[in-house]
Amino acid sequence: MKRLAAIALLAGLAATPTERVDAALCKTRKGALVVRDGCKRKETPADPSTFGVVSSDGDPGPRGTSTPRLRAFDAIGAFIGHVSAAGFIVLQTGDRAIYLQAGTDGFHAGGSLFFEAPGCAGTALVANPGHLVPRPPVHGTTAYLVTNPVEPHAIQSSLATTDPLNCMGPMDTYDVATQLCCGSAAFSIDAGPAVPIDLSGHAPPFRVEIDR
């Protein structure tokens, strides 16, 4: 506490260099800083300037720099979200934030929905992302968030955006209109029910501005 109190008073000692200050900044044998009327015999007077304190009329030094933040906007100038260092748009939906991959042409499709039944029938599931800010699957203009309960599921089919040449398995079916392939699967994952999030309110082309 004594050290914190001394540091808090450093600015006051240095800010008015033309005024008389009756207090002295002292360094004890153990290295602690204290403020007294005068330093004791075994204490050393300390210079506030050595601790990075600049007086009010002193040179503040060069201005620091910071990494600019980028903001993404849609075709009508509506704010979409900030852009992460990895190039994803951080979109807020309700009380949650999600990562979405995008370009000037809009949001990019990717990711899979999973089903416990063959033929992509039944409740659509999203795998537990395990991340603080998830990157949900996006099909067309719809993103899918995972919700509770997240629990183990035996998956028999999955639905993903792909090229028709990658959807030629004996049990695969391809929808030309949506560019979605329903393929057979056989594995278990931790997943929860999918909740659709409509992204069609943001129409391309997208653009980025520096947040000043």
Side-chain angles (χ1 to χ4, degrees), residues 25-86:
L25 180 64
C26 308
K27 184 176 181 181
T28 69
R29 295 179 62 184
K30 294 184 178 180
L33 293 175
V34 294
V35 177
R36 307 185 189 280
D37 292 336
C39 296
K40 294 182 178 181
R41 183 169 58 87
K42 294 184 179 181
E43 295 176 345
T44 304
D47 182 359
S49 65
T50 62
F51 300 96
V53 178
V54 179
S55 62
S56 59
D57 60 348
D59 181 7
R63 183 175 179 178
T65 59
S66 60
T67 302
R69 294 198 307 171
L70 301 179
R71 298 190 297 169
F73 295 86
D74 62 16
I76 63 173
F79 175 66
I80 305 172
H82 285 93
V83 181
S84 74

Side-chain angles (χ1 to χ4, degrees), residues 96-113:
R96 301 181 66 177
I98 56 176
Y99 279 144
L100 295 174
Q101 191 171 22
T104 57
D105 57 342
F107 296 110
H108 292 176
S112 299
L113 296 176

Side-chain angles (χ1 to χ4, degrees), residues 139-150:
H139 294 170
T141 58
T142 304
Y144 294 91
L145 291 180
V146 61
T147 57
N148 291 321
V150 174

Side-chain angles (χ1 to χ4, degrees), residues 3-210:
R3 179 172 297 194
L4 292 176
I7 294 299
L9 288 174
L10 290 179
L13 291 174
T16 56
T18 61
E19 299 179 4
R20 182 176 180 271
V21 179
D22 294 329
L25 180 64
C26 308
K27 184 176 181 181
T28 69
R29 295 179 62 184
K30 294 184 178 180
L33 293 175
V34 294
V35 177
R36 307 185 189 280
D37 292 336
C39 296
K40 294 182 178 181
R41 183 169 58 87
K42 294 184 179 181
E43 295 176 345
T44 304
D47 182 359
S49 65
T50 62
F51 300 96
V53 178
V54 179
S55 62
S56 59
D57 60 348
D59 181 7
R63 183 175 179 178
T65 59
S66 60
T67 302
R69 294 198 307 171
L70 301 179
R71 298 190 297 169
F73 295 86
D74 62 16
I76 63 173
F79 175 66
I80 305 172
H82 285 93
V83 181
S84 74
F88 295 104
I89 293 179
V90 184
L91 178 71
Q92 182 174 345
T93 171
D95 60 351
R96 301 181 66 177
I98 56 176
Y99 279 144
L100 295 174
Q101 191 171 22
T104 57
D105 57 342
F107 296 110
H108 292 176
S112 299
L113 296 176
F114 302 99
F115 302 83
E116 291 185 300
C120 300
T123 301
L125 303 169
V126 176
N128 181 22
H131 302 293
L132 186 62
V133 181
R135 181 185 173 189
V138 176
H139 294 170
T141 58
T142 304
Y144 294 91
L145 291 180
V146 61
T147 57
N148 291 321
V150 174
E151 52 193 6
H153 292 271
I155 303 303
Q156 295 194 51
S157 58
S158 63
L159 187 66
T161 302
T162 188
D163 186 275
L165 295 178
N166 296 321
C167 189
M168 300 180 66
M171 302 295 292
D172 294 352
T173 57
Y174 188 78
D175 188 321
V176 177
T178 63
Q179 298 182 333
L180 291 171
C181 174
C182 177
S184 60
F187 53 85
S188 295
I189 57 170
D190 289 339
V195 172
I197 302 297
D198 185 15
L199 303 176
S200 62
H202 292 294
F206 291 173
R207 59 184 174 84
V208 171
E209 291 184 358
I210 297 177

